[in-house]
Amino acid sequence: DGGITQSPKYLFRKEGQNVTLSCEQNLNHDAMYWYRQDPGQGLRLIYYSQIVNDFQKGDIAEGYSVSREKKESFPLTVTSAQKNPTAFYLCASSPRGVSYEQYFGPGTRLTVT
Amino acid sequence: AQTVTQSQPEMSVQEAETVTLSCTYDTSESNYYLFWYKQPPSRQMILVIRQEAYKQQNATENRFSVNFQKAAKSFSLKISDSQLGDTAMYFCAFADRDDKIIFGKGTRLHILP
């Protein structure tokens, strides 16, 4: 069954701790994306990767880091430098090229207290 | 920079009625792609419909259709015979040369029984 998985669904952390959100896809897609969703803000792009071992900053990359060592995996680390990390995080993938739709994972709700 | 504007933060309609969600965008490109995504209460993002800018014919998917006005940079979504399952956030999105999609802030649609 092809798709995108994100784990865990809910994540709780203390302020000052780094936390890594998992995103895995078995769709053989080249491109992967991380979005942050806040109420009233829509989806804002954090990082994206078009090929393995390469990634670009999106609109709100500060306080986040990513890696793309394997085609199937694109983990996102929320560092302690991110001033307001509590949010809903969505991972997506697509074949390379803007004409293609993006396929989304179920999301991870991160709460930092 | 490209922008996507959804001017209706929230709408409510009765079941079986027709509803139109508005979207405008700004770009200097001539070739691009437009999308409507749906996010139900489960928060799983689902593609509703896609339009290629070079195609004059409006895209249709069952009860969902778009009114694409390229000169006006308008891309509205019409939902006919609305159903309770159509209750969701709807996001308009735009993509051009880069491998990334820009999303509007969304319209929350309530279908009332």
Side-chain angles (χ1 to χ4, degrees):
Chain A
D1 211 0
I4 301 178
T5 56
Q6 290 184 245
S7 60
K9 189 166 182 149
Y10 299 95
L11 192 52
F12 298 87
R13 280 292 183 271
K14 293 289 187 186
E15 199 172 315
Q17 293 179 337
N18 290 356
V19 59
T20 297
L21 281 60
S22 166
C23 178
E24 304 276 335
Q25 55 100 358
N26 61 5
L27 300 168
N28 200 33
H29 287 167
D30 288 312
M32 295 187 75
Y33 308 81
W34 274 106
Y35 294 94
R36 171 180 170 139
Q37 186 176 18
D38 296 284
Q41 291 291 330
L43 274 67
R44 293 184 291 171
L45 182 64
I46 304 173
Y47 270 98
Y48 65 108
S49 168
Q50 296 165 321
I51 55 173
V52 175
N53 292 322
D54 188 43
F55 47 83
Q56 289 77 39
K57 291 182 180 180
D59 301 318
I60 56 165
E62 187 175 346
Y64 299 98
S65 66
V66 293
S67 63
R68 186 85 187 277
E69 297 175 2
K70 298 186 297 183
K71 189 175 184 178
E72 312 81 59
S73 179
F74 191 43
L76 173 74
T77 296
V78 184
T79 74
S80 56
Q82 168 51 233
K83 290 185 174 23
N84 187 17
T86 294
F88 186 65
Y89 291 87
L90 281 163
C91 178
S93 72
S94 75
R96 192 160 177 197
V98 297
S99 64
Y100 296 100
E101 69 174 281
Q102 292 190 357
Y103 293 77
F104 286 82
T108 292
R109 172 67 183 178
L110 172 64
T111 302
V112 177
T113 58
Chain B
Q2 290 86 358
T3 58
V4 177
T5 302
Q6 294 180 249
S7 59
Q8 305 148 312
E10 197 159 1
M11 299 179 72
S12 296
V13 296
Q14 294 295 135
E15 192 177 6
E17 288 185 348
T18 294
V19 59
T20 299
L21 281 59
S22 302
C23 174
T24 58
Y25 57 93
D26 188 24
T27 182
S28 57
E29 300 293 328
S30 58
N31 192 25
Y32 48 87
Y33 298 84
L34 295 159
F35 308 84
W36 278 99
Y37 282 85
K38 169 184 176 179
Q39 188 180 42
S42 67
R43 305 197 81 169
Q44 177 68 55
M45 292 281 285
I46 304 161
L47 178 71
V48 175
I49 203 163
R50 181 177 75 189
Q51 176 78 40
E52 298 165 37
Y54 63 87
K55 288 187 177 179
Q56 292 191 335
Q57 186 173 5
N58 289 325
T60 300
E61 287 289 340
N62 300 314
R63 297 182 295 106
F64 298 86
S65 61
V66 296
N67 182 5
F68 173 49
Q69 302 288 329
K70 191 172 185 179
K73 296 179 183 174
S74 171
F75 182 60
S76 61
L77 174 71
K78 185 170 88 171
I79 306 174
S80 302
D81 186 25
S82 57
Q83 301 174 358
L84 296 178
D86 295 333
T87 291
M89 280 286 285
Y90 287 83
F91 293 97
C92 179
F94 166 95
D96 63 1
R97 288 173 299 167
D98 294 331
D99 276 345
K100 52 181 183 172
I101 292 178
I102 299 167
F103 288 85
K105 293 188 177 183
T107 295
R108 185 175 300 279
L109 177 64
H110 302 275
I111 308 299
L112 307 172

